[in-house]
Each structure stands twice: as structure tokens, then as C-alpha cells.
């Protein structure tokens, strides 16, 4: 399953981007994310990183699923009613931030 979410907000002063990274809307292949089964895995991933970084990071932000670090997840929000997971990420890398502002990146996955 490929997860992709359009960036819904860019805060230039804070250098953050926001978007819903997963919900139960069918993707282009017709697959549907299972929120109930996946939520514990997202929580465990985020809690592990938060513990390792003393709360500075709730999840890694990488460039195009590669090894280059672009920033850190600052908020991970679970909306049980909507069965959706939203994220707010701080983009620390200047090069990747400039690409974000230029519109090179339109989504989060």
C-alpha cells in the first residue's frame, strides 16, 4: 500500500508542513488503510523515536523515502472518529525547505 497525503498547510515562520498521512479513503489502487489495525504500529514507532530523542522528535522525515533526513515530526494526531492520522513536521534542512516553498513537494507519504 502506498500512502500519500497532500500537504494542507505550510507555515513559513515555523518551517512546518501539515497533512493527513493516512485515512480510510481508497487509494489509487483501491486499497483502504486499516486505521484500527495500523494505529498501534504508528504509536509504537512514534513513541520509540520520542523516547530515543527525549521528545525532540516524534518521527523521522526523510526525502522521498531515502536516507536523507529533511526534518522531524513535531505532532502526530490520531482522529478516531474520522479514522485518520495527521502530522505536523518541521523541515530543518534548508535545501528541502526551499524545495517545499518552491512547490517541488506537494505531499507527505
Amino acid at each position: 500500500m502506498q500512502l500519500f497525503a497532500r500537504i494542507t498547510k505550510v507555515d513559513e515562520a515555523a518551517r512546518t508542513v501539515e497533512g493527513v498521512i493516512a485515512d480510510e479513503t481508497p487509494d489509487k489502487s483501491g486499497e483502504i488503510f486499516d486505521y484500527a489495525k495500523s494505529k498501534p504500529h504508528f504509536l509504537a514507532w512514534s513513541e520509540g523515536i520520542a523516547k530515543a530523542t527525549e521528545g525532540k522528535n516524534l518521527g523521522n522525515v526523510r526525502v522521498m523515502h531515502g536516507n536523507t533526513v529533511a526534518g522531524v515530526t513535531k505532532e502526530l494526531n490520531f482522529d478516531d472518529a474520522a479514522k485518520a492520522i495527521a502530522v505536523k513536521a518541521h523541515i530543518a534542512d534548508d535545501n528541502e525547505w526551499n524545495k517545499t516553498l518552491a512547490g517541488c513537494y506537494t505531499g507527505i507519504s
Side-chain angles (χ1 to χ4, degrees):
M1 176 182 292
Q2 287 237 351
L3 300 176
F4 171 83
R6 185 156 306 285
I7 293 173
T8 58
K9 182 177 181 182
V10 175
D11 182 332
E12 290 189 42
R15 285 180 68 148
T16 60
V17 296
E18 297 180 38
V20 175
I21 59 169
D23 65 15
E24 292 192 341
T25 303
D27 67 11
K28 291 179 182 179
S29 301
E31 294 180 346
I32 299 173
F33 173 77
D34 189 321
Y35 177 82
K37 288 183 181 177
S38 299
K39 180 181 175 181
H41 299 289
F42 276 86
L43 278 169
W45 166 76
S46 183
E47 289 170 354
I49 293 172
K51 184 177 179 182
T53 63
E54 298 178 348
K56 292 178 186 173
N57 181 353
L58 303 181
N60 55 44
V61 176
R62 303 222 177 247
V63 179
M64 304 300 289
H65 301 269
N67 292 327
T68 302
V69 177
V72 298
T73 299
K74 297 310 258 180
E75 293 179 20
L76 193 62
N77 300 302
F78 297 90
D79 184 338
D80 293 340
K83 297 182 180 182
I85 304 171
V87 67
K88 178 188 254 184
H90 178 300
I91 308 304
D93 183 274
D94 290 337
N95 189 40
E96 301 312 322
W97 181 245
N98 288 333
K99 289 178 190 177
T100 301
L101 294 178
C104 297
Y105 298 132
T106 60
I108 304 166
S109 63

